[in-house]
Amino acid sequence: MARSPFTTLPFSLTSGNQCCALFLNAGTSPTAGASKSLCYHDAIFCGETGSSGGLLIANRIRIVALALFALGMVCAGAWAQGRGPWTLGSVLHQLDMQAKTFRSLSADVERTKVTVVVDDHSTETGSLLVRGDKMLLQMKAPDARTILRTGDNLYVYTPGLNRVEEYNLGKNRTMVDQFLLLGFGTSGKELQKSYLITVLGEQTLDDKKTVELELTPKSSDVRNQISKIQIWFDESSWLPVQQQFNETGSGDYFTVRYSKIVRNPSISESEFKPHWPKNTEKLRPQG
C-alpha cells in the first residue's frame, strides 16, 4: 500500500482529532578651490560655501548628530551585554512586534523523520511559500508531493500517483494552522492561547543566534498526537529556523529546518493556485 502523503503532517485530517541604525553622513571638509556644489549632506544643510551662517549651523548639526549616534551605539552595546537571559515575557513581546509587520515568507525546507526504535533517519527537502493564510509546500523527489493550503481548503498532490486529495478544513482550520503556519507571523498572544510555553535558552544554529521555546499543546486532541514542540527563533528576525515535533507515545519525532529565508517577499497570487494536470485523479476523503 502506498504511504500516505500525510506523513509530512503531525496529524490525520481524517480522524476525529483533525485537527536599525540611522546614520547621518558628517561629510568632509571641502578642499581649496572646490566648487559651490558640495556633498549631498552639505547641499541640504548649508547651501553654498559662501554662507558662513549655514556652515556654522551645519557643523553644529554634525556634532549633535555624531554625538547622538555614538550614544546610541553605546546604549545598544550596553543593552546587549546587560539584558540577561531571555524571559518568557520578553520573547512573547518580540513575537508580538514582528507579527505586526509579517506579510509573507519564502524558504528552503529540510525535513528529517527519526524513528527511535530502529534509529532510522529519513531526510527530504523542498521549498516553502507563505502569504497570509496561504501556504505552498513543495517536496522534491524521490517522494515528491505538493501541499497547498488556501483558506479552508487543503490539497495534497502526489504526482507519482497522479492523485490529489482535497480537504475542507472547516472547524479544524485553527488546529491545522498550529502546525502548518506555526511561527510564521504568529504573535506571542496567539501562541499562549494554544500552548504552555517554556523558554529553554539560547543556541546557535547555522551561525544564527536563536532562542529555543518548548510548546506543550493545551488541547488534549493535539496532545494525543504531538506531546511537545520545540521551536528555535532567529533573534534577528523572530522567524523560526528549526522546529521539532515530538510524537506522543512512540518517542519518534521529526525536525524541520529552514534556510535561505526571505521575509516579506512579493509572491504572486498565482503561486497559490492548483497547477496539477487536468487528468489528475481527485479524492475527497470523508471522516
Side-chain angles (χ1 to χ4, degrees), residues 6 9 11-16 18-19 154 156 167 169 172 176 287:
F6 274 106
L9 303 178
F11 51 86
S12 169
L13 288 174
T14 59
S15 70
Q18 288 186 320
C19 12
L154 181 70
V156 179
Y167 297 85
L169 301 179
N172 299 303
V176 172

Side-chain angles (χ1 to χ4, degrees), residues 32 38 46 55 57 81 102 152 167 177 251 254 264 284-285:
L38 303 181
C46 311
L55 284 173
I57 293 172
Q81 294 176 13
F102 179 85
D152 282 344
Y167 297 85
D177 283 348
F254 65 89
N264 293 338
R284 293 182 174 85

Side-chain angles (χ1 to χ4, degrees), residues 15 29 33 36 60 103-104 111 135 138 150 156 168 171 175 182 214 240 244-245 265 270 273 283:
S15 70
S29 299
K36 293 183 179 181
R60 288 176 177 173
R103 298 187 303 275
S104 60
R111 177 186 179 275
M135 184 209 73
Q138 296 180 296
T150 58
V156 179
N168 184 276
K171 64 181 180 180
M175 183 179 292
L182 182 62
E214 179 183 82
Q244 179 171 311
F245 296 83
S270 63
K273 301 292 184 183
L283 298 178

Side-chain angles (χ1 to χ4, degrees), residues 73-142:
M73 293 298 288
V74 170
C75 290
W79 179 85
Q81 294 176 13
R83 64 167 172 80
W86 286 102
T87 64
L88 178 58
S90 60
V91 170
L92 295 179
H93 175 72
Q94 292 293 336
L95 293 175
D96 285 338
M97 295 299 292
Q98 70 86 21
K100 294 178 181 179
T101 58
F102 179 85
R103 298 187 303 275
S104 60
L105 173 138
S106 65
D108 286 347
V109 177
E110 179 184 271
R111 177 186 179 275
T112 300
K113 172 64 187 291
V114 178
T115 305
V116 175
V117 174
V118 294
D119 193 26
D120 179 68
H121 293 63
S122 176
T123 300
E124 56 186 351
T125 60
S127 61
L128 174 71
L129 295 178
V130 175
R131 197 188 74 181
D133 65 353
K134 299 180 174 66
M135 184 209 73
L136 176 66
L137 176 63
Q138 296 180 296
M139 304 307 294
K140 300 178 181 179

